Amino acid sequence: MKVRVLVFGQLKDIIESDELWLEGLAHSDDVLPLLQAQFPGIKNLQFKIALNKKMIQQGVSLHEDDVIALLPAFSGG
Amino acid sequence: MKVRVLVFGQLKDIIESDELWLEGLAHSDDVLPLLQAQFPGIKNLQFKIALNKKMIQQGVSLHEDDVIALLPAFSGG
Amino acid sequence: MTKEKRKHKVFMEGAISPTFIAESIAKHSSKTNIGAHAIFLGQVREDLINADKVCAIEYSAYQEMAEEALHEIREAAFAQHNLECMHIYHSLGEVKVGEICLFVFVSSKHREASFKVCEELVEKIKKDVPIWGKEILQDASHQWKINQ
Amino acid sequence: MTKEKRKHKVFMEGAISPTFIAESIAKHSSKTNIGAHAIFLGQVREDLINADKVCAIEYSAYQEMAEEALHEIREAAFAQHNLECMHIYHSLGEVKVGEICLFVFVSSKHREASFKVCEELVEKIKKDVPIWGKEILQDASHQWKINQ
């Protein structure tokens, strides 16, 4: 199963893309290890994860077409 | 001795003038009785008195060219 | 208290126009230390008084005393807070329902100071500055405004 | 919480112009229940970062999520306070030093509600809405903005 991952803020400097696709993910808890393996630089950055535009409060199963977003600290205004 | 009296707000409806001159006043405590004798309607209205653009906190002697102002509650804004 | 007077025009004849407000804002683009502007606008409401609608407020002031009072309020705010800029404009004469009668504009590096001072200025203008509003009703009678 | 979406445009490409602000203010003259407008404007500061000056901030957002978050913030404010009107605009893309990047506009019958909500909205926009500012320095390097 593939999920879409949107990349924001400072994470774009490390991942060097606005968007990527991750394969073989069944659970939200698997997102971070997979990303850290691919992009070791993100280990130094604090960020939160949203699933379908809502912050993830606890681990959840992922489904086809789910949209994950990687959100560093907001700095609007 | 004459002092100039400026009239503001609702007091203008009663005194029917923006300005008047009072004669024979030596002390700020004499202002109110003299005005009330001339304009009994002002007895029903709360107002403060300023002398030369400063609120009078206590009775003071008056001098030639002093400017008294009759100030009902402010309602700017 | 300094008696030096920075000549700051406060009173404007009639309503304060949105264009004037825009021009005031635009003038601050060269002040590159400003990060936050807090603005208050007072607008004349169509209040109902004994079943008759307010159609305008006619403002008058003891202008010289008001300007001195506002000058002191400004100096105190600058002394107490970290501000970059401050402007106060108040209408005199007739301001119709829906029009702007008060424009308070406070600018600072960070938002906290400008919010705090803007709110304090509005309170002080209503309470401590000799300005009066006469509410003109639709039947041409009037009632003197009372500030809450 | 209602899921009905009033389509309220929040994001604007580039700086928010004083003319746009004036037009927004002018549109409220027909709302005769309004007595008070509280406005906050965020302006890009020329901060110094390691001896290099900020010359612009480039804003990006997770737009769909930001719009939902702002919609919820708006609905909650309307439910909790006695408001007549509320508008929020935020820039996307480059906003130069001295230009406006955030415009929060709250209107109510009396001043207390508009002041309170305007300040709360600004706090929530900075804390809870997925928007990011990239500070562009004069040497063309950049640094990601950190909100206080």
Side-chain angles (χ1 to χ4, degrees), chain D:
Chain D
M1 197 177 50
T2 169
K3 279 286 156 203
E4 161 260 347
K5 289 265 177 18
R6 273 182 286 167
K7 281 295 170 203
H8 178 70
K9 177 176 154 266
V10 171
F11 290 106
M12 302 182 73
E13 198 54 39
I16 299 166
S17 74
T19 309
F20 177 82
I21 296 163
E23 284 164 5
S24 299
I25 293 167
K27 277 180 194 157
H28 290 74
S29 65
S30 58
K31 302 213 169 186
T32 56
N33 260 332
I34 292 175
H37 301 291
I39 293 175
F40 178 83
L41 304 174
Q43 181 167 305
V44 175
R45 262 196 327 270
E46 192 179 58
D47 279 349
L48 214 60
I49 292 170
N50 305 326
D52 205 2
K53 282 179 182 168
V54 169
C55 58
I57 296 181
E58 195 184 298
Y59 287 100
S60 55
Y62 183 2
Q63 212 167 320
E64 286 173 78
M65 185 175 166
E67 278 163 2
E68 285 189 16
L70 286 165
H71 179 77
E72 285 172 28
I73 290 169
R74 276 172 58 86
E75 295 296 307
F78 270 120
Q80 284 162 34
H81 299 275
N82 198 356
L83 301 175
E84 298 293 326
C85 225
M86 191 192 313
H87 304 277
I88 298 167
Y89 300 98
H90 197 294
S91 293
L92 286 182
E94 190 182 274
V95 182
K96 293 195 177 67
V97 160
E99 292 183 326
I100 309 288
C101 58
L102 172 62
F103 172 25
V104 177
F105 187 6
V106 182
S107 310
S108 55
K109 199 164 180 194
H110 300 289
R111 64 192 180 281
E112 294 80 3
S114 55
F115 271 130
K116 188 168 180 6
V117 172
C118 186
E119 192 163 354
E120 283 178 7
L121 288 180
V122 175
E123 296 305 313
K124 284 182 181 166
I125 291 163
K126 288 180 176 262
K127 200 174 133 280
D128 299 332
V129 181
I131 304 172
W132 296 270
K134 188 163 107 173
E135 294 167 321
I136 312 295
L137 307 182
Q138 280 181 331
D139 66 359
S141 70
H142 73 261
Q143 167 172 308
W144 290 88
K145 182 170 171 256
I146 295 163
N147 274 359
Q148 295 190 328

Side-chain angles (χ1 to χ4, degrees), chain B residues 53, chain C residues 3-10 64 67-68 71 74-75 87 89:
Chain B
K53 296 181 272 173
Chain C
K3 280 285 152 202
E4 160 260 346
K5 288 263 177 18
R6 273 182 285 167
K7 281 296 169 201
H8 178 70
K9 177 175 155 267
V10 171
E64 286 173 78
E67 278 163 3
E68 285 189 15
H71 180 77
R74 276 172 59 85
E75 295 296 307
H87 304 277
Y89 301 96

